[in-house]
Amino acid sequence: MDKNKISIIILAAGKGSRMKSPKAKVLHAISGKPMLYYIIKSSRQISDDISVVIAHQKEVVRKEIENYFDDINYIIQDTNKFPGTGGAMKNVTPKNEKVLILNGDMPLITSDSLNVFLNTDAKVIMSIFNLKNPNGYGRVVIKNKEVQKIVEQKDASVDELNITTVNAGVYAFSKDIIDKYIPKLTNDNAQNEYYLTDIISLARKDKVSISPLLVDEENFKGVNSKEDLSDAEEIMQKRIKSTIMKNGVIMQLPSTIYIEESVTFEGECIIENGCRLTGNTLINNSHIKSGSVIEDSIVKNSDIGPLAHLRPASYVENSHIGNFVEVKKSSLKGVKAGHLSYIGDAQVEDGTNIGAGVITCNYDGIKKYKTIIGKNVFVGSDTQLIAPVTIEDDVIIAAGTTLTSDVIKKGSLAISRTKVKTIKDFYYKFFNIKK
Ligand code: UD1
Ligand code: MG
């Protein structure tokens, strides 16, 4: 199929009241990206002419899309005068003879499932699937294998409500159908909206043949509520993890792991149960143990966790990061940090050991400061490194030290201690116990 032969219109102007959210519905995230991103991504694979209809929070929606795509046309819907999915088409003048219209709340749509609409020359193609529980969808009235009309749930009679064949929300129309019928839509219905779906009954009255295209429910799932959002998330996660495993990553209990679309893997990686990997994270030949969270970070040839947290801009290479260690905006190369530490705004070099309970005190309440630790340094347990601070190579920092100045001499020991006082029989006196 020639990518220039079809115009795609994505309807994204609605309020999405059923989401009960201040955020525009189409911007709600699935696997780290707005729903609309996935719809545009699949559409881009079959067309170069994509328009998105916007109105509600139009500037926010547009800005968000522009983070990912720079060649989208934007059409503004007048939702006061012409509310509804039909109203959304009022200002659309398609470039091509064939026009595909998609709802903006179908994040699971794939380019393969859209391709099917292009393989026929019919003037009107609409998609359907069958559901045990059709709640929320428009019901499709079919007689003699021809679609007669689509009835929205709020307008349906008791008999129509029992119909289990529903409108999937993707349509292919020839341009002349759009030009002829969009102006004829009315808002004479329960919601006082202009329904795009009324094109079907209007065209039918003029004897236009409308055969339904049976599509796969999963790919066409519409997201109207937060429960729908979580259902779609589950399916998307399955897809993402299945691709990752096919490419060679080992996952223990994948259903407990969350991985965003943007995360990449190289080499042999193991991800244990309960991990969460987000943003622009790259994992290369590493083992991520149970319950670890990694955000916008690079991990190479290392083992992380269990229960470790790498926050944005961490770079960890040839290192061991153990349980309850938090790393933020730091570079660790050849480092061991086995237990209970906070390493923030730091640079730690090869062969260095960070003992249990070591903390980089990187923030004075106003600004953040850097900690720089050289090679083969032994940082004893419970050390506080008051940044900005620099430690040379081959240095020992004694356990419990509060380091307030740089250690500039290679090979030295830094130690801060308060003398321990022992008071005889204090315990018995304090608790009034007879010895
Ligand atoms: C719509 C269909 C329904 C179908 C279902 C499939 C209509 C009237 N109904 O219902 O038959 O079964 O999708 O998922 O079309 N939008 C605008 N402008 C508006 C209103 C909505 O652009 O004024 C956009 C929304 O942002 C959304 C899409 O159109 O992306 C669909 O709107 P939504 O309210 O979700 O329609 P449904 O009730 O799901
Ligand atoms: Mg919907």
Side-chain angles (χ1 to χ4, degrees), residues 195-265:
Y195 294 160
L196 176 61
T197 45
D198 284 347
I199 283 196
I200 302 299
S201 55
L202 290 173
R204 194 59 211 136
K205 273 182 202 139
D206 288 343
K207 305 266 181 313
V208 176
S209 166
I210 303 165
S211 41
L213 184 65
L214 184 67
V215 295
D216 172 58
E217 176 196 336
E218 184 183 287
N219 292 333
F220 288 76
K221 184 181 170 50
V223 172
N224 295 313
S225 65
K226 285 178 176 154
E227 197 179 1
D228 292 338
L229 186 73
S230 72
D231 291 343
E233 178 72 272
E234 229 163 275
I235 296 166
M236 187 66 86
Q237 277 296 301
K238 264 205 145 153
R239 289 183 184 176
I240 289 173
K241 287 179 285 191
S242 156
T243 309
I244 291 169
M245 285 187 278
K246 275 183 197 137
N247 290 335
V249 171
I250 297 169
M251 286 189 204
Q252 294 171 345
L253 284 182
S255 63
T256 67
I257 298 169
Y258 173 83
I259 302 180
E260 287 186 352
E261 205 244 3
S262 44
V263 176
T264 47
F265 296 87

Side-chain angles (χ1 to χ4, degrees), residues 83-376:
T85 49
M89 291 296 294
K90 287 274 180 190
N91 293 331
V92 173
T93 33
K95 225 161 67 185
N96 292 302
E97 279 310 308
K98 199 156 190 173
V99 184
L100 197 61
I101 303 175
L102 279 79
N103 284 347
D105 61 356
M106 305 189 316
L108 300 169
I109 199 85
T110 59
S111 57
D112 281 349
S113 55
L114 290 178
N115 253 324
V116 187
F117 288 81
L118 313 183
N119 297 335
T120 129
D121 282 332
K123 278 184 169 300
V124 177
I125 311 165
M126 61 149 312
S127 49
I128 57 165
F129 52 77
N130 293 301
L131 285 178
K132 263 200 203 116
N133 174 11
N135 192 35
Y137 286 93
R139 311 296 204 275
V140 181
V141 180
I142 301 175
K143 261 188 218 148
N144 307 327
K145 292 194 178 162
E146 292 263 7
V147 177
Q148 305 299 324
K149 61 174 175 176
I150 299 170
V151 188
E152 291 309 302
Q153 174 147 327
K154 287 188 176 151
D155 301 286
S157 66
V158 176
D159 279 352
E160 285 165 344
L161 283 176
N162 287 328
I163 297 174
T164 52
T165 303
V166 301
N167 169 23
V170 176
Y171 324 81
F173 296 123
S174 61
K175 189 175 173 332
D176 54 312
I177 293 282
I178 290 181
D179 292 344
K180 183 165 178 192
Y181 294 110
I182 294 290
K184 290 189 178 167
L185 296 176
T186 65
N187 63 350
D188 183 17
N189 53 54
Q191 302 185 81
N192 291 120
E193 286 187 359
Y194 293 81
Y195 294 160
L196 176 61
T197 45
D198 284 347
I199 283 196
I200 302 299
S201 55
L202 290 173
R204 194 59 211 136
K205 273 182 202 139
D206 288 343
K207 305 266 181 313
V208 176
S209 166
I210 303 165
S211 41
L213 184 65
L214 184 67
V215 295
D216 172 58
E217 176 196 336
E218 184 183 287
N219 292 333
F220 288 76
K221 184 181 170 50
V223 172
N224 295 313
S225 65
K226 285 178 176 154
E227 197 179 1
D228 292 338
L229 186 73
S230 72
D231 291 343
E233 178 72 272
E234 229 163 275
I235 296 166
M236 187 66 86
Q237 277 296 301
K238 264 205 145 153
R239 289 183 184 176
I240 289 173
K241 287 179 285 191
S242 156
T243 309
I244 291 169
M245 285 187 278
K246 275 183 197 137
N247 290 335
V249 171
I250 297 169
M251 286 189 204
Q252 294 171 345
L253 284 182
S255 63
T256 67
I257 298 169
Y258 173 83
I259 302 180
E260 287 186 352
E261 205 244 3
S262 44
V263 176
T264 47
F265 296 87
E266 292 168 356
E268 175 93 317
C269 298
I270 303 176
I271 316 295
E272 291 186 6
N273 59 299
C275 289
R276 179 180 178 89
L277 313 182
T278 66
N280 288 322
T281 288
L282 164 69
I283 312 286
N284 170 304
N285 286 303
S286 293
H287 187 159
I288 315 300
K289 294 182 186 164
S290 174
S292 295
V293 174
I294 304 182
E295 305 160 297
D296 286 306
S297 292
I298 296 174
V299 179
K300 291 185 178 170
N301 218 6
S302 298
D303 68 282
I304 310 291
L307 296 161
H309 187 185
L310 305 189
R311 289 172 50 211
S314 297
Y315 180 92
V316 178
E317 188 175 358
N318 298 328
S319 295
H320 160 68
I321 304 293
N323 47 193
F324 311 114
V325 173
E326 174 182 341
V327 180
K328 187 219 77 174
K329 207 177 175 188
S330 294
S331 152
L332 281 70
K333 293 178 188 160
V335 174
K336 282 188 182 135
H339 340 259
L340 295 149
S341 282
Y342 173 57
I343 304 167
D345 302 302
Q347 182 187 322
V348 190
E349 298 297 342
D350 200 32
T352 287
N353 185 85
I354 307 278
V358 170
I359 303 219
T360 53
C361 308
N362 60 330
Y363 186 47
D364 63 2
I366 300 165
K367 272 181 80 177
K368 302 268 165 73
Y369 301 93
K370 282 204 88 172
T371 299
I372 297 175
I373 307 178
K375 289 187 183 137
N376 305 317

Side-chain angles (χ1 to χ4, degrees), residues 11-68:
L11 310 183
K15 245 194 176 139
S17 340
R18 285 164 287 177
M19 283 302 267
K20 297 199 168 53
S21 171
K23 191 187 243 186
K25 176 167 78 171
V26 292
L27 295 188
H28 275 270
I30 290 195
S31 299
K33 297 260 170 68
M35 288 204 269
L36 199 48
Y37 160 85
Y38 297 99
I39 302 164
I40 298 176
K41 190 178 162 204
S42 295
S43 300
R44 289 292 289 107
Q45 289 175 49
I46 58 166
S47 172
D48 287 334
D49 179 35
I50 297 176
S51 302
V52 177
V53 183
I54 50 177
H56 178 63
Q57 291 187 16
K58 56 180 187 292
E59 291 313 323
V60 186
V61 175
R62 184 179 176 146
K63 228 176 140 203
E64 185 66 33
I65 299 173
E66 282 172 349
N67 284 333
Y68 305 105

